[in-house]
Amino acid sequence: MADERLKIESVPPKSDWRDPKVEFRKGTFCYSAAGKHLEALDLPNPREWQPTDADWKLPADWKQIILDGMRERLKKYRSFRLFMDICVRCGACADKCHYFLGSNDPKNMPMVRAELLRSVYRRYFTPAGKAFGSLAGGRELTEEVIKEWFYYFYQCSECRRCSVFCPFGIDTAEVTMIGRELLGLLGININWVTKPAADCFRVGNHLGIQPHAFKDSLEFAAEELEEITGIQVDLPINRKGAEVLFIMPSADYFATPHYYTLLGYMSLFHEIGLDFTYSAYASEGGNFGMFTSHEMMKRLNAKIYDEARRLGVKWILGGECGHMWRVLHQYMDTMNGPADFLEPPVSPITGTRFDNARTTRMVHISEFTADLLYHNKLKLDPRRNDRWNVTYHDSCNPARGMGLLEEPRYVLKRSCNNFFEMPANTIREQTFCCGSGSGLGTDENLEIRLRGGFPRANAVRHVHEKHGVNMLACMCAIDKATMPALMEYWVPGVEVAGVHELLGNALVMTGEKERTKDLRGEPLPQPSMAQPQPPAAEVINA
Amino acid sequence: MGPLSSAIGVVALIVLAALAGASEPGRVVLGLVIPYAALATFLAGICYRLVQWALAPVPFRIPTTCGQQKSLPWIKSARLDNPSTGLGAVGRMALEVLLFRSLFRNNQAELYERRFVFGDSKYLWLGALAFHWSLLIVLLRHLRLPVEPVPQFVLALNAVDGFFQIGAPVLYLSNLIVLGALVYLLLRRWRDPQLRYISQFSDYFAPLLLLGIAVSGMLMRYGAGADVVAVKRFAIGLATFQPVLPEGLGLLFWIHLLLVSALAACFPFSKLMHMGGVFLSPTRNLANNSRIKRHINPWNYPVKTHTYAEWEHEFHDKIKAAGIPLDEEQKNG
Ligand code: SF4
Ligand code: SF4
């Protein structure tokens, strides 16, 4: 069926990057944000429009708004000014972007993506550009340019892979973030980001799940867990005086396969007797503000510390999510700290002090679990995962905005007998994005998602064929939401799971009934059952 | 258009230098006016740019982490690729600036019938490293001209650089490498379709200018010859602000000097400023310790949030019906 799949070209087309014209073809862009969601967040210039419209109904002084916005941000962010100034167009980042690799659209090369904004910067903010215009790489700011920005800044998942390879560390994700902020000033946002942001703001989570429904879905999960393990777990919600506040991405309690990861957390917390609480107010770890503006990121993130303060917990534990952790790790303390009302986190089970989180006071669950395993506080039966040949996909943000690489692998290797790494240039800090990060995981954008996800899928296919890998483990809500479709399209036969789902499968709980099912409710492999055999290795050198 | 117009630009400069170098007033402009003007532009421009960068704050700690973080004591962290201390960040910067660490990671994606293969690709790294280092050596060797007595380290550099004596005058290795690397980098830009797509005037102009400088310099040294004593007198005069215009400087010298002046004058306004910028890049020069040490944003400002009280107010009945504790109840109880 390969022929029916998207064609991936490798010869760049002959065109001029200065020409801003883009074609909004179905499947390659996201719908605009409805005015009501902008209003809910007090965002400027709410209105109804679509990218395919000829007239985007820009405010009359749109040009001034953009230029003023640029001037302000050039003063506020050294990163922005520097990244506008020092790219030498060496091309080291060119073939590092999964959107370029999958779409072959030259404007998806990171330095060109940034150049779309940089050319305007040169024209209006640098002496050379003001004097020599296009000879100095400057470009006039026109409505066409605004449309082009929209197209390409929403074809960047802010994954930072380009930044790893750039000799100056130029981070196109940072440029994209600023670019989206600028577009936001004109009321240009996408619905898949702004609606969730509005729901996070008012209701508490991006799915708009209200407190009673939040409780219902946790209860439902607990019932399911009881059926599988015979053990009833507690569901503390908004409980004051707990030691730990647990924050997870909302998809964990409402979407599959995230849900099985929730069952994993629940089993773990019960087994170690963690004194913790969920929160129905701070019921979203993911931060859709990050895809909108720095200000929105701060507004949504504020809930976490506010809730921790209100509940009087000692420290915060965070679940499996990618961009959530970029915000928690690199922004939260600066934006909404200091967290002096909390205590430096100490594991109540092992006594380990998490010194790496001593001021932000928020610990990643894989750090927490790896510590438990290292101190042999958990009894595991990895054979329960024997039907899976597992590989691990590093999510962009924990990999390149944090460096959380070994902890999840440690948990996985202890929980599973069959673990295989993908090729070195596609994992860890060089990991490839799922293709749907930064709010792009919406259906109308499917073609770009499948194209952008192709390099990742390609590496999975390699281990699928070589080692019979049939399970792609990951630690990100967006991965879990979008990679099943990606796998189905490019590598059928590979499923997607959270790290704590596989841990939960292997976890032997005190007083559990004889386990016949895994957390998916599917039969456990029988000890006598033969191990899945990998098909004959097809060698590609990577 | 880029390659052609920048080549025309460089040739125009060469012709200009040749014409002006032939007349007395022309030489005054080339030898006295332009070098000082270029130097002033160079220095003032660089200061302006550096100050502009330095004045912009670094609101967030956003290093791009390229290795394992420092977390649990038994997990080995990548101290240089993901430093958790200031010292580590200095080490990371040193690797970056001196050895081009990030370029060393480079690989090349190639598509074989729907399969990507990421092969090592170290040529760019090698070319860039060779170019920058030998350019630095060439520059340092030039110190023998305006400084008298010639510093020891320059003499030592000369000796090492000219170690492979091939004929007389001594052939400096660095000259050959600069030339080779420049040609490679230019050809790469010209031949690689991706690079060519994005390359602009200045991407060709700067290397062509450098090529002109290198070739005219080398011709002076190995070819047509130049009166070294005259060049030295001129250089010392320039450096001590007592400029002189000795006889016998020759056409090649004027070309060389004008091209260098042009490069210096353009420097602060072009991408060549990457030389200064690399030190300031917040994705590289900061330690990844944002959960260990609080980072302050100087312009942090209060924002509108949706407070717990507002939330409880809106969903009060549903919270109560679900049996989730309300704030008040917990206060009183
Ligand atoms: S790697 Fe960096 S300097 Fe080179 S083209 Fe990309 S952004 Fe520019
Ligand atoms: S941040 Fe990621 S998606 Fe964006 S340009 Fe860089 S590599 Fe591409």
Side-chain angles (χ1 to χ4, degrees), chain A residues 86-94 111 118 165-168 170 172:
Chain A
I86 62 173
C87 170
V88 296
R89 290 173 293 281
C90 67
C93 58
M111 78 279 199
R118 211 178 267 134
F165 296 88
C166 173
F168 316 116
I170 293 177
T172 308

Side-chain angles (χ1 to χ4, degrees), chain A residues 389-391 420 460 463-465 467-472 493-494:
Chain A
N389 285 348
V390 182
T391 191
F420 305 91
V460 176
V463 283
H464 175 65
E465 287 168 1
H467 303 293
V469 161
N470 56 4
M471 177 56 86
L472 178 59
V494 177

Side-chain angles (χ1 to χ4, degrees), chain B residues 174-227:
Chain B
S174 55
N175 285 356
L176 290 183
I177 298 179
V178 164
L179 208 61
L182 260 177
V183 169
Y184 165 72
L185 291 173
L186 261 169
L187 280 182
R188 175 176 174 273
R189 185 170 289 288
W190 166 251
R191 305 264 315 264
D192 182 325
Q194 292 166 10
L195 267 182
R196 200 166 158 172
Y197 176 81
I198 187 58
S199 292
Q200 304 167 8
F201 175 78
S202 72
D203 297 324
Y204 295 103
F205 186 66
L208 280 175
L209 206 53
L210 276 161
L211 201 63
I213 292 170
V215 170
S216 56
M218 285 174 76
L219 280 178
M220 244 189 296
R221 183 169 168 77
Y222 307 115
D227 183 346

